Amino acid sequence: MKKVLLSLVLATGYLMAADGAELYKKCIACHGVNGDKVAPGSKGGVTIGGMDKARLIEQLHGYAAGTADNGGAKAIMYANMKNWKFSDADIEAVADYISKLPKK
């Protein structure tokens, strides 16, 4: 009985796991399909495809908190993170996905 319950809990967690590719679809308009598009107003012509996962997580948490600043269009990211309500698991998943995209 305990094994069955544990299996159900693990399976439910797996099914509910954040899908980075699915979450990233919300980002495509500004960042491009492969993260190779410079987002509106970003500083230094930086693209996010292939960026270090830890850096992505840091930035996404910063946008969620309203403290990250990578350019004039930061208000877009502040609003997006507020509206999308990304959980820590969502941030982890989308950062993992973006970090594996081809680096420009």
Side-chain angles (χ1 to χ4, degrees):
M1 179 69 166
K2 288 182 182 179
K3 286 183 180 180
V4 171
L5 183 57
L6 180 60
S7 295
L8 287 172
V9 169
L10 291 175
T12 301
Y14 178 74
L15 293 174
M16 294 177 65
D19 180 352
E22 189 62 32
L23 292 168
Y24 184 72
K25 288 179 181 178
K26 296 178 179 190
C27 311
I28 289 173
C30 291
H31 293 284
V33 174
N34 291 310
D36 58 353
K37 186 175 168 186
V38 176
S42 71
K43 296 176 185 173
V46 175
T47 58
I48 62 171
M51 187 180 278
D52 178 69
K53 181 179 173 181
R55 178 76 174 135
L56 288 162
I57 290 171
E58 175 188 352
Q59 288 295 301
L60 289 170
H61 279 292
Y63 283 121
T67 58
D69 183 0
N70 287 320
K74 64 187 173 207
I76 294 170
M77 283 298 296
Y78 294 161
N80 286 344
M81 293 301 288
K82 181 180 176 182
N83 293 330
W84 296 339
K85 296 177 174 59
F86 276 12
S87 67
D88 287 346
D90 292 337
I91 288 173
E92 171 86 19
V94 77
D96 185 63
Y97 177 78
I98 294 167
S99 72
K100 293 176 181 169
L101 291 172
K103 192 170 185 97
K104 183 176 177 184

